[in-house]
Amino acid sequence: MKKLLVLFVLFVCSAVSLSAQPAFNERPKLVVGIVVDQMRWDYLSRYYDKFGNDGFRRLLDDGYSFNNCLINYLPTVTAIGHASVYTGTTPAFHGICGNNFSIDGRAVYCCEDNRVMPVGTDNKKEGQMSPVNLLSTTIGDQLRLHTDFRSKVIGVSYKDRAAILPAGRSANAAYWLDKKNRQFITSTYYMQELPQWAKDYNKVLAQNEEFKKVGADVGLYPLTGHITVDMAIAALQGEKLGQSNETDMFCVSFSQTDVIGHKWGTRGEHTDEAYLELDKDLARLFRALDDNVGKGKYLVFLTADHAAAHNNRFMQEHKMNAGAWLSQEVRNEVEKYVAQKLGNAKPVIDAIRDYRFFLDREAIASQGLDLQRVKDVMIEYLRQSPNLSFVVDYEKAAYAPVPQFLRERILLGYNFHRSGDIMVCVDPGYYEVGSWSSPVGTTHGEWNPYDAHIPLLFYGWQIPHGENASEVYITDIAATVCSLLHIQQPNACIGNVLKFN
Ligand SMILES: [Zn+2]
């Protein structure tokens, strides 16, 4: 009798656990990817007590947190982060090598595309944008391929690159803010005319008295997060995302946090306000998802494109080693040193971008200089220049005397058409300071935990509550989402599928 009872209990338990498992091809109605620009992982615990119940804490208290998610390439900057989250790969393969980089010597902005026209504005500067420089597929592209393009994939952000790169090349739409005309726009890459719901929302935005009053750089205000959510909710309802028979994908990026961080740093009232206001924005977005898609029927992940250093003066005030790496001064010194050694009249450096020297190969060739000799002389100088921990010739990075983990990050970040020639790493606590930098602000770009340790939260459809301290990477996000959806990974994905246990 006892045996029978045990068998019966086992049978019931297995039946219950079987019924809790989704069918092999069952998927959520909607996948929502959220990227918070410049969000450090430790902000989650720093602000935990001040967060409300329905924003970040809905994800932390009901969802799953990977507490040690790192960025596994260099440099750690915005466009690369957004591309890597959704492609599951790095600049070596997806080709987005910075916000600004060069393609075989031609300077480009990551999303510029003069073959397309603005839609919703006549401002070419802000509207001629597309994902044309993105070389690999995103989660959304894979979803579209899997469903014979019946899934809808849409990106929304105030920064063009934060809307365009996450959504991918086959996306139905990406919408971003024309900062001059204060309207959400897109380009002819996606469509010829804004949908009616977007035109309607733009009319509401044009009447927003508070938004009219903010200064030239709208990114400096938490209000820009509010309007990002307003636009996202308008898109959710206007496009009926998550309401068809196929899974849709919605990429929502919050970028005001980055502009605020660059201006005021990681500490202080502006940054506190930015995250507490964003917390309310998230709560509003989740409520709209509950109402329009249904609680438990959508899958959310939230992460960041990079984090940020503490302000170097603040660190110095507290006796810690920190400082500025003055790239413009270094550039001038290097040019002087090379000219003394090699006798050239014209400069050899085209640009310094995110700790990388892009050489002017035309100028080098036209003056009869040998490229390798120029690089060697530059490296000779940089090795005795202060506050640099490593100087690496990209072409020789595989054999460079740098720690293995760092060599791998350098190589994963290197695309030989697009990444320049020499990379430097600054000492811990140091960061590049140029003419644009704010004395109380911050920046990012290095491998160190303050720049590379980002939040990674999952919530909703099939996600248990829990947390995990294993080391995982930004490239694991796309692999994991595709695994949950039972669809193929993006076509250059190098990540591993994360386990929720
Ligand atoms: Zn960023």
Side-chain angles (χ1 to χ4, degrees):
M1 186 63 196
K2 224 176 185 179
K3 253 185 194 169
L4 268 178
L5 187 68
V6 169
L7 276 174
F8 177 73
V9 168
L10 277 175
F11 172 76
V12 169
C13 286
S14 66
V16 165
S17 72
L18 276 176
S19 68
Q21 284 290 316
F24 193 79
N25 65 347
E26 206 177 304
R27 288 194 285 272
K29 302 298 284 178
L30 180 66
V31 181
V32 184
I34 299 171
V35 177
V36 181
D37 203 317
Q38 207 187 102
M39 183 169 181
R40 291 168 58 110
W41 170 76
D42 60 359
Y43 287 165
L44 290 173
S45 55
R46 180 170 165 79
Y47 294 122
Y48 184 84
D49 287 337
K50 292 185 179 141
F51 285 148
N53 291 328
D54 282 335
F56 283 106
R57 280 183 65 165
R58 197 200 278 211
L59 308 187
L60 287 165
D61 297 345
D62 296 340
Y64 199 96
S65 176
F66 287 94
N67 291 330
N68 199 18
C69 182
L70 303 177
I71 295 175
N72 51 348
Y73 54 77
L74 282 170
T76 48
V77 299
T78 299
I80 307 181
H82 283 85
S84 300
V85 165
Y86 288 88
T87 59
T89 192
T90 68
F93 303 103
H94 65 53
I96 300 299
C97 294
N99 298 333
N100 295 280
F101 50 97
S102 301
I103 301 181
D104 294 327
R106 175 177 59 92
V108 295
Y109 170 68
C110 57
C111 292
E112 76 173 42
D113 184 355
N114 58 19
R115 286 166 296 187
V116 303
M117 292 301 286
V119 170
T121 180
D122 50 15
N123 183 351
K124 284 190 178 179
K125 189 170 165 278
E126 305 233 8
Q128 285 188 302
M129 301 287 172
S130 87
V132 73
N133 291 321
L134 182 64
L135 302 179
S136 64
T137 61
T138 58
I139 303 167
D141 288 330
Q142 294 302 137
L143 191 58
R144 300 255 298 149
L145 281 163
H146 195 88
T147 62
D148 295 328
F149 302 93
R150 287 188 298 273
S151 293
K152 272 190 191 176
V153 177
I154 290 178
V156 170
S157 182
Y158 120 76
K159 280 188 187 174
D160 52 67
R161 56 187 179 272
I164 291 169
L165 298 171
R169 291 181 65 137
S170 78
N172 300 78
Y175 302 99
W176 60 94
L177 195 73
D178 171 351
K179 294 183 282 297
K180 190 162 155 259
N181 295 320
R182 305 286 177 96
Q183 294 276 284
F184 276 96
I185 61 169
T186 186
S187 78
T188 54
Y189 179 87
Y190 304 99
M191 63 191 79
Q192 298 300 316
E193 197 183 340
L194 284 176
Q196 192 56 46
W197 62 261
K199 289 180 185 171
D200 292 344
Y201 177 65
N202 274 334
K203 278 182 204 150
V204 174
L205 188 58
Q207 299 306 314
N208 186 325
E209 292 302 324
E210 224 187 322
F211 197 51
K212 279 186 203 166
K213 274 186 261 169
V214 303
D217 193 346
V218 296
L220 286 171
Y221 303 87
L223 180 61
T224 298
H226 309 340
I227 66 146
T228 303
V229 166
D230 291 343
M231 179 64 181
I233 293 173
L236 178 74
Q237 293 172 341
E239 297 291 339
K240 296 187 164 48
L241 294 175
Q243 293 177 43
S244 76
N245 292 327
E246 298 291 3
T247 303
D248 294 325
M249 172 129 203
F250 199 18
C251 313
V252 183
S253 305
F254 293 95
S255 303
Q256 75 282 359
T257 40
D258 180 69
V259 185
I260 291 166
H262 279 299
K263 178 87 173 172
W264 286 292
T266 57
R267 291 289 183 266
E269 54 179 345
H270 288 98
T271 301
D272 294 352
E273 186 197 14
Y275 282 90
L276 299 181
E277 287 298 310
L278 174 61
D279 186 51
K280 293 179 207 160
D281 290 330
L282 288 176
R284 209 152 53 83
L285 179 63
F286 296 150
R287 275 196 295 275
L289 289 164
D290 290 346
D291 292 346
N292 291 275
V293 184
K295 211 172 175 179
K297 291 183 179 166
Y298 59 92
L299 167 69
V300 174
F301 66 86
L302 181 147
T303 187
D305 54 342
H306 54 79
H310 291 311
N311 178 271
N312 52 17
R313 296 180 188 192
F314 161 82
M315 291 292 275
Q316 287 167 353
E317 279 162 26
H318 295 278
K319 303 182 190 173
M320 283 172 272
N321 184 44
W325 185 65
L326 303 167
S327 55
Q328 197 51 49
E329 282 181 23
V330 173
R331 178 180 178 160
N332 296 340
E333 290 163 10
V334 170
E335 287 285 10
K336 222 166 99 186
Y337 187 78
V338 171
Q340 271 169 13
K341 283 260 175 176
L342 303 180
N344 53 306
K346 282 192 278 179
V348 294
I349 301 168
D350 178 37
I352 299 178
R353 302 183 181 105
D354 310 315
Y355 306 100
R356 295 163 303 177
F357 289 76
F358 289 70
L359 299 190
D360 186 338
R361 289 173 184 234
E362 256 177 46
I364 289 169
S366 71
Q367 297 179 93
L369 301 172
D370 175 61
L371 177 64
Q372 189 59 53
R373 177 76 182 126
V374 171
K375 286 196 282 184
D376 290 344
V377 171
M378 287 178 65
I379 290 168
E380 188 179 281
Y381 181 83
L382 290 167
R383 286 233 165 109
Q384 49 84 41
S385 153
N387 310 125
L388 293 180
S389 29
F390 296 104
V391 183
V392 173
D393 178 345
Y394 264 136
E395 294 278 278
K396 296 179 176 176
Y399 313 101
V402 300
Q404 177 58 35
F405 82 95
L406 197 53
R407 190 182 310 148
E408 180 152 319
R409 280 159 171 73
I410 291 168
L411 287 169
L412 285 171
Y414 176 54
N415 179 300
F416 76 87
H417 290 289
R418 302 182 173 198
S419 293
D421 299 281
I422 293 168
M423 166 156 254
V424 300
C425 290
V426 289
D427 286 341
Y430 278 72
Y431 50 76
E432 182 179 6
V433 169
S435 54
W436 46 268
S437 301
S438 148
V440 294
T442 185
T443 191
H444 50 84
E446 276 292 1
W447 67 269
N448 309 68
Y450 47 77
D451 283 350
H453 187 186
I454 52 175
L456 177 55
L457 306 170
F458 286 85
Y459 165 83
W461 187 80
Q462 294 296 319
I463 302 297
H465 174 53
E467 60 179 304
N468 189 321
S470 325
E471 185 166 310
V472 304
Y473 301 102
I474 190 170
T475 46
D476 297 334
I477 300 169
T480 304
V481 173
C482 290
S483 170
L484 286 165
L485 299 180
H486 288 185
I487 64 171
Q488 186 55 274
Q489 296 177 354
N491 64 7
C493 184
I494 61 165
N496 294 310
V497 176
L498 301 176
K499 293 194 181 80
F500 297 83
N501 55 22

